[in-house]
Amino acid sequence: MSRLASELQRLRRSPWEVLWSALVSCGLVLFSQLAVAIVPRLLPSISLFAMLPVAGLVFLATIVVGRFWRRFIGVAASAPLFVLFNVLFLWGVYVFVIRRDTSSLLDMLINAECALLLWGLYRILSGDPGIVAYETSFLEEAGCKDFVDAICSSEKHPSLSRVRHCNCCKVNVRGYDHHCPAFGNCIGQKNHRLFMALLTGFVVAESTYTMCSTKYISRCINSGTIRTENPLSLNMVIGTMLFSVLQVLWQVVFLIWHVYGICFNIKTDEWINWKKYPEFQMKEQPQSDFEVKFVNPYDKGMLCNIREFLKPK
């Protein structure tokens, strides 16, 4: 049984609840994208660069409104479905509006990128991040009250090395980096490489979409047909371009952090919560009080760290 099916079974969600969540997610995507598309309509005189912060504030405002609206309807949107519908929305705008001004090679490229994103989303949502399960007898032999306690003292139990507990999924994952709401799964030893490929794919696909939409807008301006173009289509292209640029900005920062973590063999959870894990603590006694400093026992040098990431034991 796939992780998606088992998760739905665990939450005991009926098909109607799943359907309502999908509809709410789709509605939130349409609402947010239309709200961003209004920005060029209301502020046609300012540059696209000046529209970026305005579009960012509008997008955040729609997400906040969506969260408040959830209290009235009693149904929450799904983050993975929100990501999925955004990919489909941008792909639809490209196919029905931008495509006619795109070269054949670029057209093949962006369609392939969108298809690979959908495949990657399915794989990471349904895949195993590296879940570790132990019998109750193991805790009794280890003398720990629960699995979280055993993990925090993992230096005494080599089999629990770098196994961390995810509070969102309530599971224990080997090589746990973080829980990714957008992809609906934990990121661990078994899917970390897929996560990096998917994150890179989003940056590349959104950059390609930005390039195609910029060419479309430039063509409309240079040919003098900007006034004869369908206002809804033009505003939608500008809005989705602004959305793509905003996504690329934070995703590049996120990608740089993960590249740094790979090069120095440190996980996001370990960096944030290193004081919970004894192996990262080095105690010094200068004069009176103990001073705890961070030390990374897993750092074997950049080349070895990258090799370990690409071919984990």
Side-chain angles (χ1 to χ4, degrees), residues 128-229:
D128 175 21
I131 296 176
V132 177
Y134 287 89
E135 301 294 336
T136 308
S137 58
F138 173 82
L139 298 178
E140 295 175 354
E141 294 175 4
C144 302
K145 59 182 179 180
D146 54 27
F147 204 86
V148 178
D149 184 40
I151 290 173
C152 291
S153 57
S154 61
E155 56 184 2
K156 301 178 182 178
H157 313 290
S159 63
L160 295 180
S161 177
R162 305 198 92 170
V163 176
R164 313 299 182 197
H165 182 75
C166 176
N167 293 319
C168 297
C169 297
K170 308 300 180 186
V171 294
N172 307 293
V173 181
R174 187 175 302 281
Y176 176 76
D177 187 87
H178 69 287
H179 179 83
C180 183
F183 295 158
N185 204 344
C186 300
I187 305 303
Q189 180 175 293
K190 289 188 176 180
N191 65 354
H192 200 172
R193 293 178 299 283
L194 175 60
F195 169 79
M196 290 297 294
L198 194 55
L199 182 58
T200 304
F202 268 96
V203 172
V204 172
E206 288 160 348
S207 300
T208 306
Y209 181 87
T210 301
M211 181 174 61
C212 294
S213 56
T214 302
K215 285 185 176 181
Y216 174 85
I217 296 169
S218 300
R219 195 270 302 169
C220 292
I221 295 175
N222 295 333
S223 63
T225 60
I226 191 168
R227 296 186 180 276
T228 60
E229 287 288 330

Side-chain angles (χ1 to χ4, degrees), residues 30 35 40 78 91 119 132 151 168 265 292 308:
L30 292 175
S78 167
W91 198 359
W119 177 80
V132 177
I151 290 173
C168 297
N265 205 348
V292 180
E308 184 177 317

Side-chain angles (χ1 to χ4, degrees), residues 177-178 192 195-196 199 250-273 294 296:
D177 187 87
H178 69 287
H192 200 172
F195 169 79
M196 290 297 294
L199 182 58
W250 76 264
Q251 287 170 357
V252 165
V253 175
F254 199 47
L255 182 61
I256 291 173
W257 158 251
H258 279 281
V259 171
Y260 169 85
I262 292 168
C263 291
F264 293 95
N265 205 348
I266 184 73
K267 309 295 184 183
T268 303
D269 175 73
E270 294 170 344
W271 179 263
I272 296 174
N273 301 309
F294 173 83
N296 184 5

Side-chain angles (χ1 to χ4, degrees), residues 95-109:
V95 170
F96 293 106
V97 182
I98 304 175
R99 188 178 189 178
R100 63 177 182 266
D101 295 314
T102 307
S103 65
S104 300
L105 181 60
L106 197 56
D107 178 58
M108 291 175 58
L109 178 63

